[in-house]
Amino acid sequence: MALPCTGVILAGGLNKRFDGQNKAFIRIGGKRIVDRLLEVYLGLFEQIVLVTNDPAAYMDVDALIVTDHYSVRSSLNGLHAGLFAAAHEHAFFVACDTPFIKVALIQRLLDTVTPKADIVIPSTSAGYEPMFAVYKKTCLPAMVWQLERDLLKIQGLFRKLRVKTVDEAALRREDPELVSFFNVNSPADLVRAEAIHKQNG
């Protein structure tokens, strides 16, 4: 059953390490990453939003396409645009270059949402995973405050808002190898992604 939550895909990166090739359209196992994400989202969310500054490239994607509100390029800008467009009080975010997101792990985060939490975020030995997290509409004023001052680090939000974490042990119960956090940033990552795809069938 779809949950009363919006699912957001952030597709605003510059893709410098792929010579400008759009990472959302990279194929792994013959399927575009954006289509892999949509397959997961369609079973979870009542509304799907995709944030991009190239809307024309996504005309075949069944989602609400929105663009950044601020001219500066940053992940925080994308978070703001997606959360602003969300029809629900909460929105789950993921980047467009993460091909192996697990339904069970997203569900774990959604089950952790409480009225007092503004952000629900995975916490591992490597740190927080702000691009695989649930944000509440109450985050918007803090996002605007930072964006208007060119304070673009997402971590700045964590000092202003109520953050609830999901620890690594709980995360690994749903995704033992934490492949949900693996993103394709370079050609070498693409090679590894194909190997993960073959290993997982």
Side-chain angles (χ1 to χ4, degrees):
M1 177 180 291
L3 297 162
C5 179
T6 294
V8 183
I9 299 171
L10 297 177
L14 292 173
N15 306 310
K16 289 181 179 177
R17 281 176 280 186
F18 276 94
D19 296 324
Q21 181 183 357
N22 191 328
K23 290 193 289 184
F25 299 148
I26 289 172
R27 293 182 183 273
I28 296 169
K31 186 179 297 182
R32 301 186 306 177
I33 297 177
V34 68
D35 295 325
R36 290 173 167 274
L37 297 175
L38 287 169
E39 283 183 3
V40 173
Y41 271 26
L42 285 169
L44 281 172
F45 301 116
E46 294 179 346
Q47 181 197 35
I48 300 174
V49 174
L50 188 142
V51 183
T52 178
N53 287 316
D54 185 15
Y58 293 89
M59 288 299 100
D60 67 333
V61 173
D62 186 15
L64 172 63
I65 310 297
V66 301
T67 59
D68 293 339
H69 295 204
Y70 295 84
S71 58
V72 63
R73 279 187 176 272
S74 74
S75 296
L76 180 60
N77 203 359
L79 287 178
H80 171 264
L83 190 56
F84 186 89
H88 301 95
E89 187 71 10
H90 294 89
F92 171 79
F93 287 79
V94 76
C96 70
D97 59 359
T98 49
F100 304 118
I101 63 172
K102 301 289 188 185
V103 171
L105 192 55
I106 299 172
Q107 187 69 62
R108 172 56 68 99
L109 264 64
L110 295 174
D111 289 344
T112 306
V113 169
T114 67
K116 292 185 178 180
D118 300 305
I119 301 170
V120 176
I121 191 168
S123 178
T124 72
S125 58
Y128 287 155
E129 293 286 346
M131 292 291 96
F132 193 100
V134 181
Y135 295 84
K136 192 176 181 181
K137 289 273 192 180
T138 48
C139 296
L140 285 170
M143 291 176 173
V144 170
W145 189 92
Q146 287 195 197
L147 287 163
E148 288 181 345
R149 290 162 177 79
D150 286 333
L151 302 172
L152 305 180
K153 291 189 175 180
I154 296 172
Q155 291 86 339
L157 296 174
F158 305 154
R159 296 190 292 272
K160 304 178 184 72
L161 299 166
R162 299 165 298 179
V163 179
K164 188 172 181 64
T165 60
V166 180
D167 65 34
E168 186 164 340
L171 298 169
R172 287 189 182 276
R173 283 196 288 273
E174 312 299 345
D175 184 358
E177 303 301 320
L178 299 183
V179 293
S180 292
F181 306 144
F182 175 79
N183 59 322
V184 180
N185 266 328
S186 67
D189 290 335
L190 181 56
V191 173
R192 186 179 167 207
E194 287 289 359
I196 293 172
H197 169 70
K198 289 177 183 175
Q199 182 180 354
N200 294 339

